[in-house]
Amino acid sequence: MREMTKKNLLDAYAGESQAHLRYQIFADVAEKEGKPNIAKLFRAISYAELVHATNHYKTLGEIGDTVKNLEKAIEGETFEVEEMYPAYNAVAELQQESGAKKSIHYAIEAEKIHAKLYAEAKEAALKGEDLKISKVYICPVCGYTSVDVLPEKCPICGVPKEKFVAF
């Protein structure tokens, strides 16, 4: 693929991905405000944006088999933990942005866990196996992730177990 087309598709992928997530967030707000049909519209269009993002990503040749996808996920999580968030945190620290520092802290601590879980999944996939898990619990405040064990409270932000989302 020629460079200009590749860059354009990468930019389009980024924009569609952000729209997908943004509309999910907006749907949650509409739902909380008692507007279920507006929430439905946001969720439906969010799905359309996911379709667009997926088409762009496929065209770019960025989707592989499970092992390749796990390698890419590990690479992304590791970059966030080792480079991106430490740099962002340094700027937030310098500028005394306490809200940003808190958000970055939550993310970096959760991303460490995500990288570890993806590495375990990759080991299983390399053996031709699936991961042996039953439930994944996510803290809705900071993103802390726990497999098969629901903690009494989030070890990162202190949210009680009743608030965790189970997958």
Side-chain angles (χ1 to χ4, degrees), residues 37-38 74 81 93 101 106 109 112 126 157 163-164 166:
N37 289 334
I38 293 172
I74 292 165
V81 169
E93 183 83 34
K101 286 172 40 181
Y106 287 171
E109 293 305 315
K112 290 175 186 175
L126 284 169
C157 71
K163 302 273 185 173
F164 273 67

Side-chain angles (χ1 to χ4, degrees), residues 121-137:
K122 180 184 170 190
E123 286 181 34
L126 284 169
K127 297 176 189 171
E129 300 172 0
D130 195 2
L131 208 52
K132 291 177 175 58
I133 61 174
S134 58
K135 291 216 176 181
V136 179
Y137 300 99

Side-chain angles (χ1 to χ4, degrees), residues 8-30:
N8 289 344
L9 273 182
L10 282 168
D11 289 348
Y13 167 73
E16 298 289 355
S17 298
Q18 289 176 11
H20 165 67
L21 184 56
R22 181 173 46 249
Y23 297 161
Q24 289 291 320
I25 294 167
F26 292 172
D28 291 345
V29 171

Side-chain angles (χ1 to χ4, degrees), residues 77 80-81 84-86 88-89 92 97-115 138-146 153-160 164:
E77 300 292 323
E80 290 172 352
V81 169
M84 186 182 84
Y85 281 127
Y88 290 178
N89 192 56
E97 296 286 353
S98 60
K101 286 172 40 181
K102 183 177 181 181
S103 179
I104 290 165
H105 170 71
Y106 287 171
I108 197 168
E109 293 305 315
E111 304 298 12
K112 290 175 186 175
I113 297 164
H114 300 164
I138 305 291
C139 173
V141 172
C142 70
Y144 170 79
T145 305
S146 180
K153 66 178 188 171
C154 178
I156 297 173
C157 71
V159 164
F164 273 67

